[in-house]
Amino acid sequence: MDRLPHHMDRVKLVGLDFGSTTSSALVASARLGLNCATGRMEFGCPEIVYRPEPVFTPFDGQRIRLDAVAELMDGWLREAAISRDEIFGGGAIVTGLAARQDNARELAALIETTIGDAVVATADDPRLESWLSFMGSCAGLSRARPGQTILNLDIGGGTTNPALGRDGNVLATGCCFIGARHLRFEPGTYRLTGASEFGNALLDGLAIGKRVGGTLSTAEVMKAVDFYIQGLEAIVAGDASFFASDLGRLVEQVPFASESNGPPHAITFSGGVGELVYAAASGQPLPTQTFYGDLGADLAQGILASKILSRDLRSCVPEYRGRATVQGLTLHSTEVSGTTLFLPTPTLLPLRDLPVVASVTGAADRAALDAALRLAGNSGRGACLQLVWDEAMPSLEQIRRFGADLSAAMLCMPSPGMAPLVLLTTANAGKAIGNYATSWQQVHKNLIVIDEIPDRSAQFVNLGRPRHGVVPVSFYGLTSPQGDAP
């Protein structure tokens, strides 16, 4: 395994975002090394080295044009002068209406094949998109305002992804089908050329008797925009009654439940519509009517006209306005392990799509470990446990006790073949935990212990190949703080 040089090494991170309207790419370079304050391995001093303009996501009816996407990815990597083998981490995500197309899973597989094992590719993962958008848009702003809650609304072509955060940490996420591209128009007009299932439901629910080929009046367009603005205002106000109506229930994908007590949240925006809002707030003209063939400009105008939604547009402005998801994917979707790994067989990596079956504490008793390993044993491709310690470095006695209990539990667990069991621990003690759990590799299980990984509420994890003595780890399928799956 490569060892980390004494000086900090620079690695390449890649983010790809395939959305309802546009697709974006971002390539960053970051230093990989020890944080002198925390002693943890992390990315530092990130620099954006390639950021092309977004392009329209290539659709063909109800399918995504995979050949066109392949050409896009090849072109992005070529222009960025980066090869697949150079990619250390990052992420790729298929969102909004793109994630609901007939071949969205095929697109995810294409991304994995093209980009490599270090990057997670996932379709329709709304809580992850909300989390990434917050981190990419306003994590820095949130940390700079300690104690202030910030509600970020990531508004694109197919969805609005709210995320509430404080001190740089996300507290709540959600998703609803409020977006600019559910109704598609001939640019410059309101002649309807296409509609999603939610777009047609919106036309029916608002008693707008038009279908593809018809032309909406200005009043009918405003009726649709007003419905969306009411939905956004309901999210800000924590008003669940909006989503209790027949039409509201239809557009709510993942309920958003934010804190309602305390001072009002500061409001920020991201996504394509957010980019238009901030541009207009700074004095730039909005695009002309249906310039992009959708309601993006109309929705931005509605936000600007709302006293509730526009109240913080000039006083709370995130550093990155607009393409927050791809920013979050590139810089925040990958964690870096410590260097005291228990990895007897490095060729077991990479591992993709391992279910995170349980989270246990360092004080877990034998019964808790037995229950967790029964769940792990039911996964034929392997499974992952998260091990959370109260201390950054538990005592040797604590490690011995936990290792002995884990060893006994592993001997009793159902074992389909030699499926790997991955332990992600917050402590800087991966090698010690692994050695005690396997009696210095006398217990023949494919145990891997990856150390110094923060506790993350997620359903699945990907582990990349070891590089420079560390392992990149990506989570997806984020869950709520209460652990409910999306």
Side-chain angles (χ1 to χ4, degrees):
M1 183 187 310
D2 295 338
R3 302 307 301 172
L4 188 71
H6 292 298
H7 64 280
M8 288 197 294
D9 217 31
R10 291 200 77 85
V11 296
K12 296 290 180 64
L13 308 171
V14 172
L16 302 176
D17 177 14
F18 297 92
S20 306
T21 306
T22 60
S23 297
S24 303
L26 190 68
V27 178
S29 171
R31 291 192 181 280
L32 176 63
L34 293 174
N35 181 307
C36 61
T38 65
R40 288 182 177 271
M41 294 295 298
E42 63 178 37
F43 299 120
C45 304
E47 297 176 4
I48 305 301
V49 297
Y50 176 68
R51 188 175 200 151
E53 287 299 313
V55 298
F56 283 110
T57 302
F59 289 104
D60 182 10
Q62 295 302 307
R63 296 179 66 80
I64 301 166
R65 289 186 51 210
L66 299 181
D67 58 338
V69 170
E71 289 180 13
L72 270 178
M73 290 191 291
D74 288 343
W76 283 332
L77 294 180
R78 185 172 57 253
E79 291 175 10
I82 183 174
S83 69
R84 165 181 168 147
D85 290 340
E86 291 180 273
I87 301 172
F88 182 85
I93 193 167
V94 186
T95 62
L97 297 181
R100 300 181 68 82
Q101 301 307 299
D102 295 344
N103 58 344
R105 294 294 175 184
E106 296 172 48
L107 173 59
L110 173 64
I111 294 169
E112 293 176 5
T113 301
T114 304
I115 301 302
D117 54 67
V119 179
V120 54
T122 179
D124 196 15
D125 196 348
R127 285 198 173 113
L128 176 62
E129 186 181 359
S130 299
W131 185 88
L132 289 169
S133 297
F134 183 93
M135 298 302 293
S137 175
C138 56
L141 180 67
S142 177
R143 285 190 288 268
R145 295 180 170 223
Q148 167 75 68
T149 52
I150 295 179
L151 174 59
N152 186 67
L153 298 174
D154 186 74
I155 309 172
T159 57
T160 290
N161 292 83
L164 183 72
R166 184 191 299 114
D167 302 330
N169 298 309
V170 175
L171 307 174
T173 58
C175 181
C176 61
F177 294 109
I178 291 177
R181 209 162 178 79
H182 290 295
L183 300 176
R184 302 186 295 279
F185 302 91
E186 180 181 307
T189 76
Y190 288 132
R191 190 178 77 82
L192 200 60
T193 61
S196 70
E197 59 181 300
F198 303 101
N200 284 325
L202 181 66
L203 296 174
D204 291 339
L206 299 178
I208 300 173
K210 302 288 174 63
R211 280 296 186 267
V212 171
T215 299
L216 273 64
S217 67
T218 301
E220 289 170 330
V221 169
M222 289 308 302
K223 199 173 183 181
V225 172
D226 286 346
F227 173 81
Y228 283 159
I229 296 300
Q230 291 168 23
L232 297 176
E233 291 179 343
I235 291 172
V236 171
D239 180 8
S241 64
F242 176 87
F243 295 101
S245 67
D246 290 341
L247 191 53
R249 280 194 295 270
L250 185 64
V251 301
E252 185 178 50
Q253 184 181 14
V254 177
F256 175 72
S258 67
E259 300 176 341
S260 56
N261 57 332
H265 314 308
I267 302 168
T268 59
F269 296 90
S270 58
V273 174
E275 195 167 7
L276 293 176
V277 167
Y278 283 118
S282 66
Q284 300 177 41
L286 283 169
T288 55
Q289 173 182 301
T290 61
F291 179 83
Y292 298 108
D294 57 29
L295 293 177
D298 299 86
L299 192 49
Q301 186 60 58
I303 291 170
L304 291 162
S306 166
K307 291 182 179 179
I308 294 173
L309 300 175
S310 65
R311 69 187 183 210
D312 300 312
L313 284 179
R314 292 170 181 81
S315 62
C316 190
V317 182
E319 180 181 1
Y320 300 106
R321 311 171 193 177
R323 285 175 265 169
T325 302
V326 74
Q327 187 87 18
L329 279 165
T330 309
L331 300 178
H332 299 284
S333 68
T334 303
E335 300 288 354
V336 186
S337 76
T339 57
T340 57
L341 307 171
F342 182 76
L343 187 58
T345 311
T347 54
L348 285 174
L349 301 182
L351 290 171
R352 306 191 65 86
D353 304 327
L354 287 185
V356 181
V357 297
S359 178
V360 297
T361 69
D365 59 19
R366 174 65 191 281
L369 292 176
D370 282 340
L373 292 190
R374 277 196 298 272
L375 293 172
N378 291 329
S379 175
R381 65 175 183 269
C384 175
L385 304 181
Q386 290 183 289
L387 171 58
V388 182
W389 297 87
D390 292 334
E391 310 87 355
M393 183 62 209
S395 69
L396 183 58
E397 183 54 38
Q398 289 174 303
I399 293 173
R400 282 176 178 160
R401 186 207 61 80
F402 180 86
D405 285 347
L406 180 60
S407 179
M410 285 195 301
L411 290 173
C412 296
M413 73 180 287
S415 180
M418 287 294 284
L421 174 65
V422 174
L423 198 63
L424 301 180
T425 179
T426 56
N428 179 17
K431 191 177 293 292
I433 293 169
N435 278 323
Y436 276 108
T438 61
S439 298
W440 276 260
Q441 301 183 44
Q442 297 306 302
V443 174
H444 297 295
K445 297 283 186 180
N446 276 331
L447 177 67
I448 298 170
V449 186
I450 308 295
D451 69 331
E452 297 191 72
I453 298 297
D455 184 24
R456 186 85 73 82
S457 296
Q459 293 175 296
F460 299 95
V461 67
N462 283 4
L463 279 69
R465 289 181 288 111
R467 304 186 188 194
H468 305 303
V470 297
V471 171
V473 179
S474 299
F475 295 89
Y476 66 102
L478 296 194
T479 59
S480 70
Q482 293 75 30
D484 298 326

